[in-house]
Amino acid sequence: MSELAGVPKPEELLKIDYQPPRKGWMDTPVKFKPGTYNYPAASKNLKVLDLPFSREWSPTEEDWKLPENWKEIVLKGIAERLSKYRSFKIFMDICVRCGACADKCHFFLGSGDPKNMPVLRAELLRSIYRKEFTAAGKVLGKLAGARELTPAVIKEWFYYFYQCTECRRCSVFCPYGIDTAEITMIGRELLYLLGLGINWALEPVAKCFMTGNHLGIQPHTLKDTLEFFADDIEDITGVRVEVPINKKGADILFVTPSGDYFADPGTYTCMGYLILFHELGLNYTWSTYASEGGNFGLFTSHEMIKRLNAKLYAEAKRLGVKWILGGECGHMWRVIHQYMDTMNGPADFLEEPVSPFTGTKFENAKATKMVHIMEFTADLIKHNKLKLDPSRNDKLKVTFHDSCNPARAMGILEEPRYVIKNVCKDFYEMPENTIREKTFCCAGGAGLGNDENMEMRLRGGLPRGNAVKYVQEKHGVNRLACMCAIDRATLIPLCDYWAPGVQVIGIHEMVANALMMKGEKERKTDLRGEPLKEVEE
Ligand code: SF4
Ligand code: SF4
């Protein structure tokens, strides 16, 4: 609970003031309140990534030490992006301010701040676009929704583009399909042109450049960690699983977010992968070079997305694998499905993925040659390739949090539910308007999952927390399952705060608990080393 220290009690946070400020939004300056903003990117990390204007600065100081020609840089940056990204130009032009998105953002619902309405978040940038790039804005100014670019606008961008988790829930409700997450991404890129970013998003990118993963885990440490997992698995199951690393000529390269090697409960999900692959006899390999499936470039700039994604494919080529299998991650899949093919594709040197056990062709991975593990495992279960004993998960009453990216960017909605229902008996859905495409964000994605921003995370986490509490009270739910490493970290304080007693669990942890391995001893505990229900009783 220490990460919640200093955060107001839930009854305080629930006193949300939805009354807009008296003055218009253009005349309401941003306030940097502790607990609601993110610390700036350290200058050493900008240097590692060759980003300009590295310096020490603070959001709460008046002078942000902007470069002399800052305005020219930003306007040039907008012009370049308007010509490069057709979507950006369209999103700047077509909003009719209908307000359909206004109450769909978790940050607005939890804070009551009008600038967290997606429509207004976009206006922060659109108002400058109008002023500088449209005739109406140049002539009519404020009357046409235009305003001058000033240092105060830059400060507002920094605050509100880092109060958006790029979750895309708002876009589901927009009749014009405006994707505010894309506007946030451009806003963040423009800030980086001035050397302004947040450390929690940029440091992982810098570490990825140096070690291949966000957490800076060195190759020998990764190897040791996976071997430790194999030791634990042997203690629990009596079976020694192999840990193939950097194996040339393997059929499949497996990549997963580094959070899974490092922090509970992701570590149990990671043990789940090892158990599943061993039981199948999969000819696969881990990599100490492509040791990160996640891509914090998504929270930084298009250029960084491309640079981080490239290493997965370079490593697949080096090892000579047929295709890539990816673990339980969220934004990794947004990158793969929405950007990879046009950024680094086509990956024609790889084969079209086919399951070696069922013969299923993963048609949706034709271009990227990368398959989501939830599709892979659901397919195995459907073809009766796994011997499962769901009663081993009897102490779990499970609900499922659709992670924003697999749900909205990929449409992976049925596979996780199918897998969960095959490995545990008690499954309950949260209310309909909080799941599937309409899922509510964990409020800690897109680089915002740090401690300094905890109050805003918990405010943004209110809609999800409320839905968890609902099924907890109605059905006795005690586990929140998810298939994203960021979720496995950020949902923990969210549950501790809004629905105490509910624990977070990865899906392959449940799969491995239920999986009956050849030659295993009688299991007395689950992967966490806690008694199975029958032993407990
Ligand atoms: S729903 Fe779409 S068109 Fe309507 S205000 Fe929001 S972004 Fe603009
Ligand atoms: S993308 Fe998500 S966080 Fe960003 S404005 Fe839309 S709903 Fe809010």
Side-chain angles (χ1 to χ4, degrees), residues 12 59 141 154 189 338:
E12 283 303 308
I154 298 295
E189 273 194 29
Q338 296 193 328

Side-chain angles (χ1 to χ4, degrees), residues 305-310 313 339-347:
I305 301 175
K306 184 176 173 170
R307 287 164 79 176
L308 295 195
N309 171 260
Y313 287 87
Y339 302 104
M340 181 273 154
D341 197 35
T342 48
M343 282 181 171
N344 291 320

Side-chain angles (χ1 to χ4, degrees), residues 6-34:
V7 179
K9 296 270 176 263
E11 48 279 18
E12 283 303 308
L13 245 52
L14 282 171
K15 292 178 194 156
I16 303 163
D17 182 7
Y18 290 107
Q19 190 70 33
R22 284 180 165 210
K23 288 185 178 169
W25 71 267
M26 287 190 195
D27 303 315
T28 308
V30 61
K31 273 194 205 131
F32 286 87
K33 182 179 166 233

Side-chain angles (χ1 to χ4, degrees), residues 153-166:
V153 170
I154 298 295
K155 291 180 181 180
E156 204 176 37
W157 286 2
F158 180 81
Y159 192 66
Y160 290 103
F161 289 139
Y162 287 103
Q163 278 186 10
C164 167
T165 38
E166 302 179 359

Side-chain angles (χ1 to χ4, degrees), residues 21 43-44 70-71 88 100 105 142 151 154 174 190 216 221 237 292 295 352 368 373 435 439 455 466 483 518:
S43 106
K44 64 173 183 166
W70 68 269
K71 198 167 174 176
F88 178 45
C105 176
K142 222 173 178 179
I154 298 295
C174 174
L190 295 171
T221 311
T237 67
E292 177 64 66
N295 188 327
E352 276 182 45
T368 63
I373 193 155
I435 57 170
T439 185
E455 180 180 327
N466 207 22
M483 54 171 184
K518 290 181 273 301

